[in-house]
Amino acid sequence: METQLDPMKDDLPLMANTSHMLVKHYVLDLDVDFKSQVIEGFIVLFLETGSRCRRASSTGEEGCQSQFDETCKIRASEQGHVPVSNASVCSSKTEYNDFAVCGKGEEDTSDKNGNHSNEEQASGISSSKNCCDIENHGNEDFLLVLDCCDLSVLKVEEVDVAAVSGIEKFTRSAKLTDVSKELANLRNQIVHELVTLPSDRCKEQLYYYTCCSQAPGCGELLFTTGTWSLEIRKSGIQTPTDFPHAIRIRYKTKPEGRSVTWTTDQSGRPCVYTMGSPINNRALFPCQEPPIALSTWQASVRTAASFVVLMSGENSAEPVQLQEGIMSWYYYVTMPMPASTFTIAVGCWQEVKQSFTPAVQTNNEFSLPCSQADFRWHEESCGHVEYPCRFQSPAARLQRVIPYRVFAPWCLMKCCEEHLLQLIPQCLSAAYTTLGTHPFSRLDVLIVPSNFSSLGMASPHIIFLSQSVLPGGSHLCGTRLCHEIAHAWFGLAIGARDWTEEWISEGFATFLEDVFWARAQQQMSHDEEKAQQELKALLRWRRLRDEVQNSEEELQVLRPNKESTGEVSESGASIVKHGLKAEKIFMQIHYLKGYFLLRSLARRIGGASYLASLRKFVYKFHGQLVLSQDFLSMLLEDVPEQKESGLTVESIFTNWLDTSGIPKLLPDQLVLLLEYLLEEKTLCPRTLQCLEETYQLREQDAEVRHRWCELVVKHKYVPGYGDVEKFLREDQAMGVYLYGELMVNEDAKQQELAYKCFAAAREQMDVSSAKVVAEMLF
């Protein structure tokens, strides 16, 4: 059984033993019932032996193509199970009688605590940590551990993939010696061949995934569920290699499950959607949550005809009528992604059609401004596992604006047409101009119900936006849209190998939000763009400062696991530090501190060079999981002069990622901060005192001290008059105009200070400077 975790702890456990077995593909077949607020059906998992448990021998490479007919006879003689057919669908009489859909399933046998099992003695299951070797474990069976929470698991069974018509092509010749063992090996060999098909056969692969998911069962598997996991074993199977590689789990969600929200939209119609829960999707389907478990998926969802099903999928699904009043929607993805990125929304959404042609160039004649180095990157092969990659498609590389759709409740359609629709092509085009190839082939944008706790959320092929971004002009809507679009590259196409490093996603998206939005606003001058970005920086700085002052120090660290970042246990299980801490959901530390790190690097390296490095990073690491050092090392390799000046990965860890609080500002950043403070009408003495003490302004360079003296003069901060006197005496090359500022306020003390300083310095001053100052004073 799983280790009992303290419910008062705020760490999120990732229980799946991904080092032993990896899910390569999910097939979901689900019914949505709005009356009971339950999603019910089955999920089929296609598995491969994990990296730590693969045998070096060629045992797994041999199949049973010869005597395939004989294996069919053997299979027929086994204890049979009824083949799984499409789940039946029926309407129920409810207050929303056109909204209810239910599927027939096994009886729910959960206990009062919500735990499930078909084990006669659950205590007989060994802990997953004891099942990590490829050799026999004495009398212990291998245990497959999946992340699972708030689910009623009804049945788990092995799938007889060998029963699928035409599946012979996925087997190889071998002699049958031990009939039962060879039949099990045959099934696993079929799955191995299926999951490793080359990307140019992805359509065929999806077809056979569907066929295999509907194949008959060939034996129930023992299982038990706990608070955080589903544990599955097959009696007598002691290694991951011999464990069934295709299993089917029949289950249903619970109304209180934390992965989805059942609610009503702004028009009062019922809906359900994944809202970005801290526990991710484990209360929607049993899965492997660790980021390293990259998988593809396909899903068929049945619901009443009045509903629209949106999902993270490459295809723009069209509903198919199964029976009167019941429609089925089918989506798929061929790019391996973490299961946490799977997203679904079922509601009475209306597609918002545009009544105008967007004024954005969408043809293929547009060329992205690239350096010669950019072209060399495209000549290299991708570094990810094989899948149909858009970065290798000449047509995709020229696609400035990908196809998009907008969905919303009926009452918000007009607002979306007026504001959102025209912004999408502009923001997509700006993103392409900045980073190049769009990682995903299409985009749906959905205005989610008002209970959504964020302004936006990005998933593969779909973005959720809050209704709050719609009114009040285009600025908030545009910037938020840019932020979520940026996640297509940073957060989705490139993911963090350790979830605690969420700054890799949010910091980059916040930084790129400004770049995209500036480019999306046509006819904006360079000066206007710079002013807008500087203003945003000031606002973010204040927000970061406030959050640092009002949050726990340990939550301010961007790399809380430090040198252990990315490490997992021998089984692959790990924890997400502070993953369940309630207040963390609303914190901006990872957004803002990450943004200022990237902004400081951009200012130090230079904007154009920095964006070129981002494009290179995207091309090199798309489709992969990264750690902070992957980006920082590549960046510093491109600008070796920065290494020579003391900027290293280690120094960035020390100053930015591994410590709490706000990093020490560079002089230019301090100058910017002080210049914005100079625009404030009033600053109290206490604020000025804290400012000087926090940043030790008296110890900074002349540019910073000059702005500090201007603040002192403007706000008549008497404790700082000594700093002004010292500056006028020792920094005569920069202090001339401070005399004028001392005089213009018509403050007796300040004018007296000006006379005093001029009298002391006049004889040593440059003649021209002395003349200018004298004209100011007399």
Side-chain angles (χ1 to χ4, degrees), residues 274 312 340-343 440 443 457-464 492:
T274 47
S312 42
S340 59
T341 64
F342 178 94
T343 300
F440 301 101
L443 175 65
M457 185 178 77
S459 301
H461 308 283
I462 186 168
I463 287 174
F464 289 171
L492 295 175

Side-chain angles (χ1 to χ4, degrees), residues 664-733:
K664 183 179 179 181
L665 288 182
L666 295 173
D668 285 348
Q669 294 171 312
L670 272 176
V671 169
L672 175 64
L673 174 64
L674 296 178
E675 283 187 350
Y676 278 119
L677 290 177
L678 280 167
E679 296 177 8
E680 295 295 313
K681 290 184 178 180
T682 58
L683 289 175
C684 69
R686 176 59 182 160
T687 299
L688 291 167
Q689 180 185 351
C690 289
L691 187 67
E692 196 286 319
E693 292 174 352
T694 300
Y695 300 109
Q696 298 180 321
L697 297 178
R698 296 186 177 103
E699 309 302 321
Q700 301 295 332
D701 65 26
E703 288 281 6
V704 175
R705 287 185 285 110
H706 185 212
R707 269 62 171 196
W708 166 240
C709 289
E710 288 181 301
L711 277 173
V712 168
V713 173
K714 177 175 180 178
H715 298 289
K716 301 177 182 179
Y717 181 57
V718 176
Y721 283 178
D723 300 330
V724 176
E725 181 177 355
K726 183 179 179 182
F727 190 87
L728 290 175
R729 185 175 65 252
E730 298 180 0
D731 298 281
Q732 295 184 22

Side-chain angles (χ1 to χ4, degrees), residues 52 144 148 173 193 240 263 291 310 339 355-356 372-373 404 464 469 484 489 638 660 672 689:
R52 295 190 183 181
L144 175 67
C148 176
S173 62
E193 294 294 328
T263 185
L310 300 177
S355 56
F356 60 89
Q372 289 300 315
Y404 60 92
F464 289 171
V469 306
E484 303 307 333
W489 287 267
D638 288 347
S660 60
L672 175 64
Q689 180 185 351

Side-chain angles (χ1 to χ4, degrees), residues 341-366:
T341 64
F342 178 94
T343 300
I344 186 172
V346 184
C348 299
W349 325 120
Q350 303 289 317
E351 183 175 358
V352 183
K353 304 284 189 178
Q354 55 189 17
S355 56
F356 60 89
T357 302
V360 174
Q361 184 180 357
T362 58
N363 61 40
N364 290 345
E365 296 177 2
F366 173 85

Side-chain angles (χ1 to χ4, degrees), residues 483-657:
H483 182 100
E484 303 307 333
I485 288 173
H487 278 310
W489 287 267
F490 291 94
L492 295 175
I494 300 174
R497 198 191 323 165
D498 189 316
W499 273 347
T500 61
E501 288 202 301
E502 59 192 280
W503 84 269
I504 294 175
S505 173
E506 297 301 350
F508 275 94
T510 304
F511 176 84
L512 289 167
E513 166 190 326
D514 293 352
V515 180
F516 291 1
W517 182 234
R519 294 182 175 184
Q521 297 173 88
Q522 300 171 0
Q523 300 179 342
M524 174 178 281
S525 69
H526 175 73
D527 289 343
E528 290 174 325
E529 175 184 337
K530 184 178 179 181
Q532 185 180 85
Q533 293 183 2
E534 298 291 1
L535 179 59
K536 288 293 287 288
L538 175 63
L539 294 173
R540 287 175 179 143
W541 182 263
R542 291 182 174 179
R543 197 179 314 146
L544 176 59
R545 180 192 59 193
D546 291 344
E547 194 154 290
V548 165
Q549 292 174 350
N550 295 286
S551 63
E552 298 176 33
E553 284 195 5
E554 61 180 3
L555 297 181
Q556 301 169 16
V557 180
L558 300 189
R559 208 173 69 118
N561 292 332
K562 299 181 180 176
E563 64 276 1
S564 299
T565 300
E567 294 182 4
V568 297
S569 68
E570 187 177 4
S571 71
S574 62
I575 63 168
V576 180
K577 197 170 181 64
H578 308 307
L580 295 176
K581 203 170 184 68
E583 57 265 40
K584 188 173 182 292
I585 301 172
F586 303 100
M587 291 184 65
Q588 297 283 300
I589 288 283
H590 291 81
Y591 294 74
L592 301 176
K593 198 171 176 183
Y595 158 81
F596 278 108
L597 166 57
L598 298 175
R599 190 172 189 272
S600 70
L601 292 172
R603 289 171 68 91
R604 188 162 180 167
I605 294 169
S609 297
Y610 184 71
L611 290 179
S613 293
L614 285 190
R615 287 195 294 273
K616 178 182 177 181
F617 182 73
V618 163
Y619 192 81
K620 183 176 181 180
F621 286 100
H622 69 273
Q624 301 175 67
L625 301 172
V626 299
L627 298 173
S628 296
Q629 53 262 41
D630 295 319
F631 169 71
L632 297 173
S633 297
M634 191 213 74
L635 181 67
L636 295 180
E637 285 174 5
D638 288 347
V639 283
E641 64 274 12
Q642 293 297 330
K643 276 189 175 182
E644 296 171 4
S645 67
L647 183 64
T648 64
V649 173
E650 291 73 23
S651 68
I652 294 172
F653 281 168
T654 300
N655 296 327
W656 286 92
L657 301 180

